[in-house]
Amino acid sequence: PVIDLNSDLGEGYGRWRLGDDEAMLAVVTSANVACGFHAGDPATMRRTVRAAVERGVAVGAQVSYPDLAGFGRRAMDVPSEELRADVVYQLGALRGIAVAEGGEVRYVKPHGALYHAAAGDERVAVDVAAAVRAVDPSLVLLGQPGSAALAAAESLGLATAAEAFADRAYTPEGRLVPRGEPGAVLDDPGEVAARMLRLVREGLVTATDGTDVAVRAHSICVHGDTPDAVRMAAEVRAVLTRAGVRVRAFVPGS
Amino acid sequence: PVIDLNSDLGEGYGRWRLGDDEAMLAVVTSANVACGFHAGDPATMRRTVRAAVERGVAVGAQVSYPDLAGFGRRAMDVPSEELRADVVYQLGALRGIAVAEGGEVRYVKPHGALYHAAAGDERVAVDVAAAVRAVDPSLVLLGQPGSAALAAAESLGLATAAEAFADRAYTPEGRLVPRGEPGAVLDDPGEVAARMLRLVREGLVTATDGTDVAVRAHSICVHGDTPDAVRMAAEVRAVLTRAGVRVRAFVPGS
Amino acid sequence: PVIDLNSDLGEGYGRWRLGDDEAMLAVVTSANVACGFHAGDPATMRRTVRAAVERGVAVGAQVSYPDLAGFGRRAMDVPSEELRADVVYQLGALRGIAVAEGGEVRYVKPHGALYHAAAGDERVAVDVAAAVRAVDPSLVLLGQPGSAALAAAESLGLATAAEAFADRAYTPEGRLVPRGEPGAVLDDPGEVAARMLRLVREGLVTATDGTDVAVRAHSICVHGDTPDAVRMAAEVRAVLTRAGVRVRAFVPGS
Amino acid sequence: PVIDLNSDLGEGYGRWRLGDDEAMLAVVTSANVACGFHAGDPATMRRTVRAAVERGVAVGAQVSYPDLAGFGRRAMDVPSEELRADVVYQLGALRGIAVAEGGEVRYVKPHGALYHAAAGDERVAVDVAAAVRAVDPSLVLLGQPGSAALAAAESLGLATAAEAFADRAYTPEGRLVPRGEPGAVLDDPGEVAARMLRLVREGLVTATDGTDVAVRAHSICVHGDTPDAVRMAAEVRAVLTRAGVRVRAFVPGS
């Protein structure tokens, strides 16, 4: 079996850093690089892409609403013309940085509030997919299985990849338990790693009611913004590797 | 004889507009498109590029220091790593927008304080040229003849183009009379057009002391930020065209 | 009878201007000054406040979501802690500028998407009112009659002022016809001025169905972002003045 | 003897934090609070001011050039009208937040590149002092002894306070050894604390050549952006307190 591990990287800004990018680049096979709208000034982006290219980690564009103060987590009602241009702009900027570092952008994963909007709002999903296609139709859209984002991307002819979340509980219907609800976020690295191993092998996750639920995933999203998160991500990779799972990027040709 | 006319375009931001881009696109053959750091939100950039592509006007990246409030006109001491990344980012963003509109970015012209710094400061000039080359070595750098910017670009193997300023007085040494000095800026469209015709035909401009000075130029920079400026630009083009000068973009293949 | 005329002023940013502030300061008695989040860099704010103070026009803070690219018109879901701090920050900044110019901020009018959110969403309305009160409980909140904004302000002990819109059609229920619907925006200066005179004298406006509807207003909002808008505003003031209406600021002591 | 300890606080932005503000508030008596131009979104500012007010730490405005990406450390050539308005704006914003938290702003300390410009460039120094006085002439300007900043403030009638730097080496002339030169930054908490104790008691510091140099200081600047820095700051305070030095804010009435 094969799986990708993705994580948000380059989410500092100027003087500020977030998480341990170096450590995470040793864990993941796909790096969602912030593109300046929620995080990631150009110099940070360039350092992040350079490190990813050096390690052979696939580079993706983590596009966002323009919201530095809110880290892109605040819902915004951005009209289609503006949203599409924002996505094209960020994606283009990261592509410029990637080519300057001898790499290339292979996929797109919306960030924060835009991720959620694209998952549930067809208009936003189509805007994102259309903007991605307008820049490069060979880009892959990474998102939640069953989301409007993946449906829109597929309808526009883009390849897609589905992701699971290592540290999140799932409902019996295969949805994420909303943050804020009890038990929504898992914090035991061993348990999390075992769940992900089962996901990769059997396509199943134990839901909150104890039943098995099918979860389709080409990639597992792990976090690196705290030392505990890095440890959990490393544990997931270690358990998968020991069990013979091949961890590699989901983009074609990896 | 052949000459290019270039102008700054897309220098609005969101709700704000600056100048009459539509009118200027009928005058110029090269459009210096603002890339978001001194002006030009993504939607404005996209509209500007679309209009330029539709009219066959060459698209260039007008890269700047990050300074919306100062319109990129305030000198900043940006370290090389940051400056290079800023140029790569802006250039990449515009390339993304250009490809989404079926066009391409052909040249780079630094804006405002960065233009002046790159003209006189070798460190800055090399940073800009290196960043441009890192993204696309086929890009042309547009700048003042004799500037550090063109020298650095040439030393790094980039093609360059020299520009003259239609509405500016020249010293006997072929330099621009600094803004603020009396007579630095010319405002008679007929006189300006006649000067530019002579520049194209003979490579000469009448300096402030009445002598002739040689000015090398592949392009003439005209402005469009006021109705008077648009009229002057149109007059320059009309006079050149009537005199049999071919007005076309300076980039290769135009 | 007495009425106030209010308008958005200082809505440029750096190099960009919007509307004819000088002309509008001769028309209005209350200036809603942009505070930097949707428009209004500090130097523009200071020039605007100085001109308002010189002419005896009351100064209000036009607070907004942080959204330069969208001119504060895009709905954002800003959590209470952040929204309150944003309002306090903008209000404080304008108060600093006002005291530096020998004036003072007398009232607050939310802008754009925040105006609409505060009108209809009680949580947002309470956030805005609480933030205003925390800075200065003698400030007046200016908004739509019947809005959540005014209700929240009153429940927190703030004085309020209701405004009518000169160029907008009203439903028989006294609500504004939404922009985008036919007839929502009126463009005949004579008709608009006559409507406003009747509003001031009788408290009535002719609704879209021809019936009379009662509209309570301490102030009339006029626009100045186009030459036509300035002309309409001037006509409203001229008609009111000729009819013996006293046009003065709604804030206490004017 | 009496001395103040000051430190930069609230230098996060949105999702990003910098240093351990809680720990530093137990060490310092004056908090230089970032005002949004180099760091410090409104919610961070408000949390920082609230914590400072709760602990009785004096609040100062850390005003900066507008430069989030460069953390205000990049020299900028900002014309006087704009610079003054920028200072007034930031100072006003922090005053708004302070009043909302039941506190008040007592002093101003320019940040980063603006600190350096105000120390050496009279034009900038006068701009800063004039802006501060325009908002509140009872504010104290905190800066380096002998700097243009303090001279300008005094000439405009503002009170001033001089600061020493705990972790920096001094030349025999009483100047700071420039960062980057060997030995410019001291890292032994015991040595640093002993130096500061001598400074307070005798007004003397051992210079790089072993001689004693007189350094006038009402306040000692300590850092809190790393765990080591926090430990050093705490050691300075502990040594001073054990030696009977009273550590309290330099502003009047403390």
Side-chain angles (χ1 to χ4, degrees), chain B residues 166 186 188-202 204-206 220 232 235-240 242-243 245:
Chain B
L186 311 177
D188 177 358
E191 179 197 353
V192 163
R195 283 168 64 88
M196 290 303 104
L197 178 56
R198 188 166 181 233
L199 172 88
V200 174
R201 282 182 166 156
E202 306 174 36
L204 296 175
V205 169
T206 307
I220 295 170
M232 179 183 287
E235 177 70 10
V236 169
R237 173 151 191 158
V239 165
L240 292 174
R242 279 199 298 268
V245 176

Side-chain angles (χ1 to χ4, degrees), chain B residues 62-227:
Chain B
Q62 198 190 356
V63 296
S64 169
Y65 290 129
D67 179 21
L68 273 189
F71 200 64
R73 290 178 171 167
R74 306 189 291 201
M76 285 184 74
D77 188 9
V78 179
S80 289
E81 185 198 349
E82 295 163 30
L83 178 54
R84 291 180 184 209
D86 283 356
V87 171
V88 169
Y89 182 95
Q90 293 175 78
L91 183 45
L94 186 65
R95 279 161 46 101
I97 284 173
V99 71
E101 293 299 331
E104 57 181 320
V105 178
R106 303 298 307 277
Y107 69 97
V108 174
K109 178 178 172 178
H111 166 81
L114 182 57
Y115 185 90
H116 293 294
D121 182 329
E122 192 184 325
R123 196 270 292 173
V124 172
V126 170
D127 286 337
V128 170
V132 171
R133 190 180 62 172
V135 174
D136 179 358
S138 78
L139 287 163
V140 182
L141 196 80
L142 175 61
Q144 275 187 271
S147 65
L150 295 202
E154 283 158 17
S155 76
L156 291 177
L158 294 176
T160 62
E163 67 175 344
F165 291 85
D167 65 350
R168 295 292 294 277
Y170 282 84
T171 70
E173 295 76 31
R175 301 221 185 87
L176 295 177
V177 176
R179 278 178 191 281
E181 294 193 10
V185 179
L186 311 177
D187 56 10
D188 177 358
E191 179 197 353
V192 163
R195 283 168 64 88
M196 290 303 104
L197 178 56
R198 188 166 181 233
L199 172 88
V200 174
R201 282 182 166 156
E202 306 174 36
L204 296 175
V205 169
T206 307
T208 45
D209 66 351
T211 62
D212 283 346
V213 57
V215 173
R216 177 175 66 97
H218 307 93
S219 182
I220 295 170
C221 180
V222 292
H223 301 297
D225 48 353
T226 64

Side-chain angles (χ1 to χ4, degrees), chain A residues 21-28 49-58:
Chain A
D21 279 8
E22 276 304 307
M24 290 304 288
L25 281 169
V27 171
V28 300
V49 168
R50 183 181 306 143
V53 169
E54 282 170 3
R55 289 167 175 272
V57 173

Side-chain angles (χ1 to χ4, degrees), chain A residues 175-193:
Chain A
R175 301 223 184 84
L176 296 177
V177 176
R179 279 180 189 280
E181 293 193 12
V185 179
L186 312 176
D187 56 10
D188 177 358
E191 179 198 354
V192 163

Side-chain angles (χ1 to χ4, degrees), chain A residues 84-107:
Chain A
R84 292 179 183 209
D86 283 355
V87 170
V88 168
Y89 183 96
Q90 293 175 78
L91 183 46
L94 186 65
R95 278 161 47 101
I97 284 173
V99 72
E101 293 299 331
E104 56 181 322
V105 178
R106 304 297 307 278
Y107 69 96

Side-chain angles (χ1 to χ4, degrees), chain D residues 10-26:
Chain D
E11 287 193 312
Y13 195 82
R15 175 78 173 80
W16 301 291
R17 301 293 162 94
L18 196 67
D20 186 343
D21 280 8
E22 276 304 307
M24 290 304 287
L25 282 169

